[in-house]
Structures are given as C-alpha cells and as structure tokens.
Amino acid sequence: MSNVFKKFYRNFYNRNGFMPTKPLNQNMYPGDFFQIRNGEIILLGNIFRNRLVSIDECQFEYGIKLNPANWNFSEGVSKPYSGRDHGHNPIEGEFEFSKQVLAFDGFGSFFFSSNNVESVKIVNWTDIQQELIIKLTQVVYSFRELYVVTECAVPSDWTLAIAGSDKAELEIATESENFGLVDLFGDATAKTIQARDIEFHHKETRKKPSFFKAKKLVVQQEKLEVFISELISEQTSKTVWATDFYEYDFHYDDISFSTPVSTNAQACILDMLQANELNPNTALLYFRWGDASLDDIEKMFTIYGY
C-alpha cells in the first residue's frame, strides 16, 4: 500500500485512538492476534478460535456507541463550490440537484465520513492478560513480537477519499431535498460525478470491523534497564580488551557509550538470554502488554529496502 495512506492512518489514530486495518477491506475481530511485517498486517489467529482462552473467562461488551465527532474528519480539503443546480432528463424533464466540489491541497489529503459507529470490546482484558503472555510466548507459541486486538469499531457505513496530488478534486451530487452542505460527502444518496487525481475512493455500506485497538507484547522495563546498564558497561571496557587481545595498534577514543531504550533494545535482550532462562515460570518477568500506538502505525508503512 502506497504512503498516500499514511497521513490518513496517523490522523485517524490521533482522532479516536483506533487504527484502520491494512488493507482497509480486512476484518479485525476482538481476540485476533497478528504481526506487522514489511509494512503488512499478518493475521495469525484468534485467541478464542485457537482455544488459548476459554470463552467462559472472557467478557464482551457489544454495541458501544462512539462519539460521531471523532469519526468524521478531513485534512487538506476545501469546498470551493456547494449549491443547487439544474439538470434535464429527456423523460422527466427539468430537475434540481445538490452539488458539491471538494478540492484537495496535496498528496495524501483526505476526507473521511462515517455513520452510527459502535464497538465490540473485551472488557476484562486484565483477567486474561497474564495467561495470554505465558501461552503466547512459551506454552503454545514462542512469539517475541505480537499484537492482540482488544476492541473493534463498526460503522453502519463509511466513505473515504484520498488525493494523489495537489490538483485532486471530487465532484459529488444528490437529488435529495433534505440536504446539508456539510454532510453531502458520505451521504447514502450521493453519487460521484467526476473525480480527478483521486488515489483512493471507497464507500463501504456493510457493517465490517475495519478499525481496531490492540495490545502489544513489550519487554518489562526493569529487564530493559538491567540490559542497558550491562551493555554500557560492556562497551566501555571493550576498547581496553581489544588493545590487549589484538596484536595491532588500533586507535581508540575515550567515549561515553549510551543507547536509548528502544524497540531494538527490547529485541536484543530476548536474543541475549541464556538457554531456558525464559520459560513458563519466568515469562511474566520479561513481558507485559502495552498499547499499540503511532509507532506501530509507522511500522505499517516501513518496507525493507526503501
């Protein structure tokens, strides 16, 4: 998927805390677990379907009403024309219709509209999270990176247009008399008359779970801090060791080595563990669950080699 979607995905998360699926026609249900690889969401299973957690242990809340203000927004879009026009039909004669022109100011500018958004949520995540860590990292699977969907949002319908250039325009119209200029985009009766330089334009009329929240496996902070401290100590003494070990006059500077506590550091600590150090009895010492965030949206648009 082109980076033309990136602005929309980032803005979407900032507006309502949910992430769009990738691709957008993918369904994401509570309990789905996945990885993000080379810019793709790879669905691997579902904690209920794969019997990692008994359905009796889990509680769901259905039909949670979400604030419409957080589910209708745009960026870089203006409305140079909105009004009533006249047309002629050879059979019915003259008729009136409402027309609106949307102008997009650049690559990735977008307009998103949705209606009647509800969510389905796992409400007792804290009751099952530790069991899931042990089973997902040790007993059933051996994941080191993983996301689990905890909530999905389902509009009754939604519409999205994304521009491919600063010359993009979308002309839409409806014959409906009950017309509000602000609401024409995404209206069920509206039709596209003309589109120019629109990279993506889709209207979904079915109740599909295309938006979600997720938890991700994260290394415990205490273990990270110990690892970073040991890494700094190791790097500090390395030049002294190298001078004694190699029969060559290497030049070295006295430097202060430091490294941030990052995702890469989290991966390193797990790779450096001794055999059997991470096991079902110690898994909770090394892992916890964190919220999927903007950093994870960035991973959706990170393609190796580019």
Side-chain angles (χ1 to χ4, degrees):
M1 183 180 289
S2 166
N3 278 350
V4 72
F5 288 85
K6 189 173 182 178
K7 187 181 293 185
F8 167 67
Y9 274 66
R10 290 180 60 87
N11 198 303
F12 197 97
Y13 177 83
N14 285 331
R15 288 277 181 163
N16 54 49
F18 284 81
M19 297 179 175
T21 59
K22 189 171 183 284
L24 277 167
N25 61 358
Q26 188 168 213
N27 291 344
M28 299 285 273
Y29 303 99
D32 282 351
F33 56 89
F34 64 92
Q35 292 181 329
I36 302 175
R37 296 291 185 188
N38 201 28
E40 284 188 74
I41 290 180
I42 309 297
L43 276 173
L44 300 170
N46 183 285
I47 62 175
F48 306 110
R49 189 179 184 190
N50 294 60
R51 299 182 180 179
L52 299 176
V53 176
S54 169
I55 189 61
D56 297 330
E57 298 178 58
C58 196
Q59 299 172 15
F60 293 96
E61 186 173 352
Y62 297 94
I64 304 170
K65 302 295 184 182
L66 301 181
N67 187 352
N70 297 329
W71 289 84
N72 292 275
F73 51 90
S74 63
E75 182 175 324
V77 179
S78 60
K79 300 170 184 176
Y81 177 82
S82 295
R84 297 287 288 180
D85 277 5
H86 294 81
H88 180 78
N89 186 301
I91 299 175
E92 299 177 356
E94 296 290 329
F95 65 93
E96 282 194 348
F97 63 94
S98 301
K99 187 174 77 170
Q100 192 168 69
V101 175
L102 304 178
F104 298 77
D105 68 5
F107 178 85
S109 297
F110 67 88
F111 202 123
F112 176 78
S113 173
S114 64
N115 293 296
N116 310 311
V117 188
E118 300 178 344
S119 78
V120 178
K121 181 180 182 180
I122 300 174
V123 293
N124 66 328
W125 171 258
T126 55
D127 295 338
I128 64 174
Q129 60 178 343
Q130 292 189 345
E131 177 184 0
L132 281 175
I133 286 175
I134 294 170
K135 289 183 177 179
L136 288 168
T137 67
Q138 294 298 307
V139 176
V140 182
Y141 301 104
S142 56
F143 290 115
R144 298 296 180 262
E145 296 181 25
L146 194 71
Y147 301 81
V148 177
V149 176
T150 57
E151 184 176 5
C152 65
V154 188
S156 62
D157 60 272
W158 58 268
T159 308
L160 172 64
I162 303 180
S165 78
D166 59 359
K167 296 180 176 59
E169 281 190 353
L170 191 63
E171 187 176 337
I172 48 184
T174 179
E175 293 183 46
S176 173
E177 293 290 339
N178 185 19
F179 167 59
L181 294 181
V182 176
D183 301 323
L184 184 54
F185 182 83
D187 186 274
T189 64
K191 293 180 172 59
T192 300
I193 299 175
Q194 184 175 340
R196 182 175 71 176
D197 287 355
I198 298 296
E199 185 75 14
F200 180 86
H201 186 205
H202 179 74
K203 178 180 289 188
E204 180 58 64
T205 58
R206 297 162 295 179
K207 297 180 69 172
K208 297 181 66 175
S210 299
F211 313 100
F212 67 93
K213 289 184 179 181
K215 297 289 186 179
K216 63 180 176 181
L217 280 177
V218 179
V219 175
Q220 291 278 16
Q221 185 67 25
E222 294 80 1
K223 294 296 183 180
L224 274 175
E225 290 175 353
V226 170
F227 173 75
I228 296 300
S229 177
E230 292 176 350
L231 187 60
I232 292 173
S233 177
E234 170 67 21
Q235 293 297 326
T236 301
S237 61
K238 183 179 179 181
T239 51
V240 176
W241 168 84
T243 300
D244 294 336
F245 183 80
Y246 298 104
E247 296 180 3
Y248 190 82
D249 185 20
F250 288 110
H251 173 77
Y252 67 91
D253 295 312
D254 292 327
I255 60 173
S256 176
F257 176 83
S258 63
T259 185
V261 179
S262 64
T263 302
N264 292 332
Q266 294 184 31
C268 290
I269 185 176
L270 300 174
D271 291 340
M272 292 291 289
L273 292 177
Q274 299 295 313
N276 297 323
E277 190 173 348
L278 180 58
N279 57 61
N281 295 321
T282 63
L284 297 180
L285 298 176
Y286 286 93
F287 290 104
R288 64 177 178 84
W289 293 104
D291 292 325
S293 65
L294 279 176
D295 290 340
D296 304 292
I297 287 179
E298 292 295 330
K299 290 175 67 176
M300 294 183 189
F301 295 91
T302 301
I303 300 176
Y304 305 127
Y306 288 86

